[in-house]
Each structure stands twice: as structure tokens, then as C-alpha cells.
């Protein structure tokens, strides 16, 4: 009898395994490892990272065109053989990884995401896969990613690598997608060899730079509506990353619902769920979220773009993202000589000062119990709920939070905030805003 039952259980288990194996072939089934799940928690606690767009394109500074920076090769139709000349005089001698990381740390960032290779195809790290890299093709000869990894380790920040799947330089990136047609490459090439090359570069990034917090993919969309759409071998590439570093978080800026094997979902210059840019049409998933934002209108350094967002605007975006359960990845485009843009450094210092005072309402929190409102957002950490008020001119603010609140205090100076329980929520008597107070924050301590 007992044996019988065992056999039956075995049969059910085997049948279930067969079903999931065939489904796995179709969808590329993915079960994140415990290390990966722990890394996702770390990521969501970290809340704030610095994004860096730095490459050969930085030298052209957008060539005086608004909105063009790291896209200059495509937008100015520069043939690959001419674009390559930029490497000969790329010599960022003012680059100081330690100084960069100290600036980012003082800004309150917990991680850094840097372009290892952007669409231009130039490797900003020492790779054995091609000579088209900063250590071999430039007078600089150093590996800035190795130096950055070292500085991040020293100062306790984690490091992500941005990696463009799209490549305007490699001849095996063929058939072409929607962009890069002005590069004048031979009208032939072997797609699978290109993916092998990409995977070889990723393997280097995940084996030679210590612990990597994750890979931030971009460029998939170049083949979105082409015959090559399904040829990326995503499941295999993601599996490679996770086998080399189980905790590494994979994300892909493809603007569609996340694929199996991805560990976080990003939104470009829009809050999750919003679409002012026009391309943020993908649904918000249950994965950890991240919103990427520029400090002016460009990702890479742009000579004429001085539409710098105020610290107030950036802080409000960071808080609005946190209230939507999302991280905030703030971009700066370093100069071709390796320095950070002075205007951005000044802003980052102010961001850091704000986070020093108000960080407890952001770090380690998740989106709060009250969904975003016209007046602001809420965040939560354990029994603490933070009410972030952006715009509200009356003294009374009704918050539809049905919970027993033991105490309410203004975060700015810990002074008590009067609170009245109603059947449908609570009413706060807000303190008057101070001049230059970008967000009024009330900390609620829940009774149970
Ligand atoms: C991409 C890059 O092209 C850009 O250079 C930068 O690196 C940014 C962070 O990411 O920008 C995109 C990507 C996809 C779309 C639009 C902009 N899209 O699908 O519409």
C-alpha cells in the first residue's frame, strides 16, 4: 500500500516536471536563486544610484545639437571607420575613480551604473574580444571600469554595468535593426557570432571586476519589429550571468513587460506607470523597479545642454519614485577628460545634504500604504509611514490611511503633528512650509 502511494506520487512529480520542462523551452523558465532574491531586497533598500554615460561620444559633446550626445554616431551618420578615429585621441587623464565615488557617496547614492559599452560599440574596459577598447585603442591605456570597481569596493557602493546589445560598430551585428545605417559596414555578417562576442564580453565583466551588482541591458528595441526580434538568445545570456554571479541583477531597458531571467524593471525618464515620454507603454511588473532620469536633457555629455533640473525637481522625482516603490537612477555624463560636470557635482552635493537630513524616509522603505496622490506620496518601513507632501496649501491634510496611529512628527525637527482619526482615514495639521523646503515630511508611527 505504502509503496503504491510512493509510485503514484513519483508519477505525478515526473509528469509535473515534464510539463514544466516543455513550458521552460517556450518561456525560458527562471527561478531566481536565494542570493538573487536577497540582492533584490538590497536593491530596493538602496533606493538611489548614479548613472554614468561615458564613451568616445563624450568627446563630441553632441556636436552642438540639443538632445544628441551618445547618439551622435547614428544621428550624424558617421561611418564606423571614421568614428574609430575618436579612440586615437581619447585620453581622459583627469579621471579619478576615487574622487568620482566620493562624490556619489556624498550624494547619498548606494550604487553606480556605468556604460561598459554603449550603442557606438566601443568597450570602456580592457577586453580580449576586440582591440576596439579603451585599454588597447587609446593613449589612455588604463581600464576605468577596473579602477571604478576598486573605488566602489573601497567606499561601499555597488557597481552595475550598462551593456548595449545594439552595436553600431561590430560587423557581425547583421542584419541591421532600425538604427546605425549610416555606419557603412559591409552588408554581411553573422548574427550568432555577434551574440557570442557579446556573451564573451559579459563573461569578462562578470569574472574580472569582483562582485557585480547587475547588468543594465539596452538596445534590444533596435530589433523589436524586425526578423531578428527573437534572435537575441536572451535566456542563454541571462543564464550565463546568473551562473557566473547568482546575485547579479539583470534588467533590460526594452520597454516591454519583463522577460524570464530579468530581476528588475526600469523606466526611462518617467515614473513607473506614467508615460510622458511616449515609449513607456509596458505594464508595471512585480519586480523591483527603477526610474532612470537625466540631470539635463542628455545622457552623455552635451556641450550646449544646460537645461539642468533643479535639486528640488530631482529630489521630488526621487521621492515620487520611492512612493511608487521604485528606485531612482540619476544620470550624469562625465567630460571627455574624465572630470564630472561641475554643475552636476554641485547639484549632487545638495541631493546628499537633503538625504542626510531626510534619508530615513527613503532608504529601506517601500511604496507606502496610500497610493500616490496629487499632493504627494507615502513610503513605509516597518511600522513607520512617511507622508511626503509636495503641494498642499491648506493646514489640514486628509490622508486615507485606515490605521491606528500612535504618534505623528514632522521629520524636519521632530515636533509633534496634530492628528485626528476619522472612520475613513486620518487628518493631519501640517506645519507651515519653510522657505526652500522641497518636501514636507510627516512621520507616522503605527500602533500595531
Ligand atoms: C536608451 C539609449 O538609447 C540612450 O542612449 C540611453 O542610454 C538611455 C538610458 O537608454 O534610450 C532609449 C531606449 C529605448 C527607447 C527610447 C530611448 N525606446 O524604446 O523608445
Amino acid at each position: 500500500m505504502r509503496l503504491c502511494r510512493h509510485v503514484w506520487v513519483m508519477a505525478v512529480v515526473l509528469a509535473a516536471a515534464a510539463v514544466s520542462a516543455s513550458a521552460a523551452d517556450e518561456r525560458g523558465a527562471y527561478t531566481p536563486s536565494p542570493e538573487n532574491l536577497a540582492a533584490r531586497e538590497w536593491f530596493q533598500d538602496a533606493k538611489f544610484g548614479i548613472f554614468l554615460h561615458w564613451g568616445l561620444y563624450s568627446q563630441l559633446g553632441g556636436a552642438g545639437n540639443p538632445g544628441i550626445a551618445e547618439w551622435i554616431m547614428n544621428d550624424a551618420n558617421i561611418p564606423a571607420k571614421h568614428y574609430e578615429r575618436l579612440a586615437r585621441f581619447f585620453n581622459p587623464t583627469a579621471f579619478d575613480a576615487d574622487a568620482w565615488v566620493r562624490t556619489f557617496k556624498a550624494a547619498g547614492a548606494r550604487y553606480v551604473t556605468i556604460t561598459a559599452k554603449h550603442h557606438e560599440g566601443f568597450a570602456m574596459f580592457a577586453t580580449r574580444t576586440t582591440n576596439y577598447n579603451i585599454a588597447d585603442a587609446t593613449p589612455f591605456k588604463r581600464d576605468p571600469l577596473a579602477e571604478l570597481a576598486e573605488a566602489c569596493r573601497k567606499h561601499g557602493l555597488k557597481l552595475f554595468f550598462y551593456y548595449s546589445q545594439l552595436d553600431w560598430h561590430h560587423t557581425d551585428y547583421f542584419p541591421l535593426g532600425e538604427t546605425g545605417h549610416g555606419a557603412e559596414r559591409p552588408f554581411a555578417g553573422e548574427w550568432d557570432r555577434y551574440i557570442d562576442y557579446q556573451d564573451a564580453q559579459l563573461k569578462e565583466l562578470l569574472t574580472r571586476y569582483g562582485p557585480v551588482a547587475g547588468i543594465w541591458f539596452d538596445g534590444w528595441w533596435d530589433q523589436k519589429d524586425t526578423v531578428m526580434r527573437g534572435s537575441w538568445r536572451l535566456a542563454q545570456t541571462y543564464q550565463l550571468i546568473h551562473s557566473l554571479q547568482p546575485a547579479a541583477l539583470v534588467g533590460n531597458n526594452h520597454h516591454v513587460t519583463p522577460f524570464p531571467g530579468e530581476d528588475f524593471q526600469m523606466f526611462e525618464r518617467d515614473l513607473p506607470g506614467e508615460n510622458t515620454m511616449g515609449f513607456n507603454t509596458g505594464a508595471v511588473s512585480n519586480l523591483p523597479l527603477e526610474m532612470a532620469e537625466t540631470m539635463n536633457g542628455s545622457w552623455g555629455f552635451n556641450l550646449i545642454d544646460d537645461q539642468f533640473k533643479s535639486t528640488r525637481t530631482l529630489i521630488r522625482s526621487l521621492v515620487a519614485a520611492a512612493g511608487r516603490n521604485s528606485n531612482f537612477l540619476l544620470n550624469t555624463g562625465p567630460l571627455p577628460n574624465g572630470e564630472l560636470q561641475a554643475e552636476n557635482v554641485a547639484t549632487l552635493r545638495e541631493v546628499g545634504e537633503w538625504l542626510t537630513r531626510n534619508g530615513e524616509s527613503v532608504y529601506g522603505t517601500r511604496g507606502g500604504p496610500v497610493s500616490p496622490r496629487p499632493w504627494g506620496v507615502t513610503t513605509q518601513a516597518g511600522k513607520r509611514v512617511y507622508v511626503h507632501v509636495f503641494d498642499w496649501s491648506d493646514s489640514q491634510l486628509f490622508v486615507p490611511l485606515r490605521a491606528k496611529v500612535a504618534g505623528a512628527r514632522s521629520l524636519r525637527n521632530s515636533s509633534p503633528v496634530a492628528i485626528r482619526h476619522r472612520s475613513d482615514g486620518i487628518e493631519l495639521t501640517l506645519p507651515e512650509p519653510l522657505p526652500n523646503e522641497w518636501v514636507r515630511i510627516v512621520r507616522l508611527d503605527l500602533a500595531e
Side-chain angles (χ1 to χ4, degrees):
M1 185 64 204
R2 257 198 107 128
L3 188 74
C4 241
R5 218 174 92 198
H6 267 104
V7 170
W8 185 81
V9 168
M10 281 282 279
V12 170
V13 168
L14 285 173
V19 168
S20 70
S22 65
D25 291 342
E26 281 164 34
R27 292 182 284 104
Y30 169 59
T31 309
S33 64
E35 297 97 312
N36 192 276
L37 293 174
R40 293 181 187 191
E41 291 302 313
W42 163 81
F43 181 67
Q44 289 183 286
D45 287 346
K47 277 291 171 298
F48 178 40
I50 296 290
F51 206 0
L52 297 164
H53 276 71
W54 197 41
L56 295 180
Y57 47 80
S58 307
Q59 296 184 93
L60 298 179
N65 293 297
I68 299 180
E70 73 286 353
W71 272 73
I72 185 80
M73 181 181 177
N74 176 81
D75 293 5
N77 286 311
I78 306 174
K81 69 167 194 237
H82 294 137
Y83 193 88
E84 282 172 7
R85 292 172 172 167
L86 289 170
R88 290 194 218 156
F89 46 85
F90 186 38
N91 198 12
T93 49
F95 171 67
D96 179 346
D98 202 80
W100 279 18
V101 175
R102 276 185 272 117
T103 299
F104 305 151
K105 189 168 183 165
R110 300 275 162 97
Y111 61 96
V112 179
T113 306
I114 187 167
T115 46
K117 184 194 86 169
H118 204 269
H119 310 334
E120 65 176 3
F122 186 74
M124 289 291 285
F125 60 103
T127 172
R128 297 193 185 107
T129 61
T130 174
N131 283 330
Y132 199 46
N133 75 74
I134 189 162
D136 289 320
T138 75
F140 188 53
K141 292 197 160 46
R142 284 154 55 185
D143 182 341
L145 298 201
E147 293 177 26
L148 189 61
E150 177 58 35
C152 282
R153 235 185 334 268
K154 181 173 152 199
H155 294 286
L157 271 65
K158 297 208 189 204
L159 183 61
F160 288 72
F161 293 129
Y162 168 110
Y163 191 89
S164 173
Q165 300 171 280
L166 159 63
D167 194 309
W168 293 328
H169 179 267
H170 203 290
T171 50
D172 282 324
Y173 186 88
F174 183 86
L176 297 185
E178 291 169 17
T179 65
H181 292 254
E184 296 184 3
R185 285 173 284 181
F187 207 69
E190 248 188 77
W191 180 267
D192 270 309
R193 216 160 50 195
Y194 171 70
I195 302 294
D196 291 342
Y197 164 84
Q198 169 206 273
D199 286 354
Q201 290 201 335
L202 289 167
K203 187 170 177 189
E204 291 177 327
L205 290 169
L206 288 148
T207 52
R208 294 160 63 176
Y209 296 87
V212 174
I215 303 292
W216 208 102
F217 283 107
D218 193 13
W220 176 93
W221 41 262
D222 187 52
Q223 301 282 0
K224 187 178 182 185
D225 299 316
T226 71
V227 288
M228 302 313 287
R229 180 192 169 107
S231 311
W232 288 109
R233 293 171 19 196
L234 285 186
Q236 194 181 324
T237 299
Y238 293 170
Q239 152 70 24
L240 169 74
I241 295 166
H242 288 135
S243 67
L244 293 170
Q245 296 209 24
L249 301 176
V250 171
N252 194 320
N253 190 34
H254 46 45
H255 298 192
V256 296
T257 304
F259 296 121
E262 294 172 9
D263 305 306
F264 67 105
Q265 182 182 15
M266 59 276 263
F267 296 83
E268 197 183 319
R269 288 194 267 186
D270 256 323
L271 291 163
E274 293 189 353
N275 184 18
T276 63
M277 296 301 289
F279 46 65
N280 286 312
T281 51
V284 181
S285 75
N286 291 324
L287 295 177
L289 309 174
E290 180 184 64
M291 171 196 182
E293 180 62 292
T294 50
M295 294 185 82
N296 50 6
S298 308
W299 298 99
F301 170 60
N302 185 307
L303 203 54
I304 63 161
D305 186 348
D306 52 9
Q307 300 295 305
F308 298 113
K309 296 178 181 85
S310 65
T311 311
R312 172 184 186 270
T313 295
L314 294 170
I315 286 293
R316 283 183 165 209
S317 290
L318 183 153
V319 171
R324 286 163 179 80
N325 207 30
S326 173
N327 284 15
F328 190 65
L329 183 65
L330 182 57
N331 181 78
T332 179
L335 306 177
N337 71 352
E339 282 178 286
L340 300 172
Q341 285 194 69
E343 299 88 342
N344 293 356
V345 170
T347 302
L348 289 175
R349 190 176 309 120
E350 292 178 3
V351 168
E353 283 161 9
W354 190 90
L355 280 168
T356 300
R357 281 180 275 114
N358 302 289
E360 68 159 276
S361 69
V362 174
Y363 299 121
T365 67
R366 298 293 182 272
V370 177
S371 62
R373 304 278 130 177
W375 48 258
V377 298
T378 62
T379 55
Q380 181 165 14
K383 284 162 86 172
R384 300 194 310 275
V385 170
Y386 297 92
V387 180
H388 300 261
V389 182
F390 297 146
D391 298 299
W392 192 252
S393 27
D394 304 325
S395 60
Q396 302 294 113
L397 175 70
F398 172 70
V399 181
L401 173 69
R402 282 197 202 87
K404 185 109 188 54
V405 176
R409 284 174 186 276
S410 183
L411 199 64
R412 76 159 82 118
N413 58 4
S414 292
S415 59
V417 168
I419 176 171
R420 193 167 73 84
H421 281 90
R422 287 174 22 178
S423 61
D424 53 351
I426 55 171
E427 215 167 66
L428 303 175
T429 304
L430 296 176
E432 282 289 309
L434 300 174
N436 294 323
E437 189 176 36
W438 303 322
V439 190
R440 275 179 291 172
I441 306 169
V442 178
R443 172 181 156 163
L444 307 175
D445 290 293
L446 301 185
E448 68 255 340

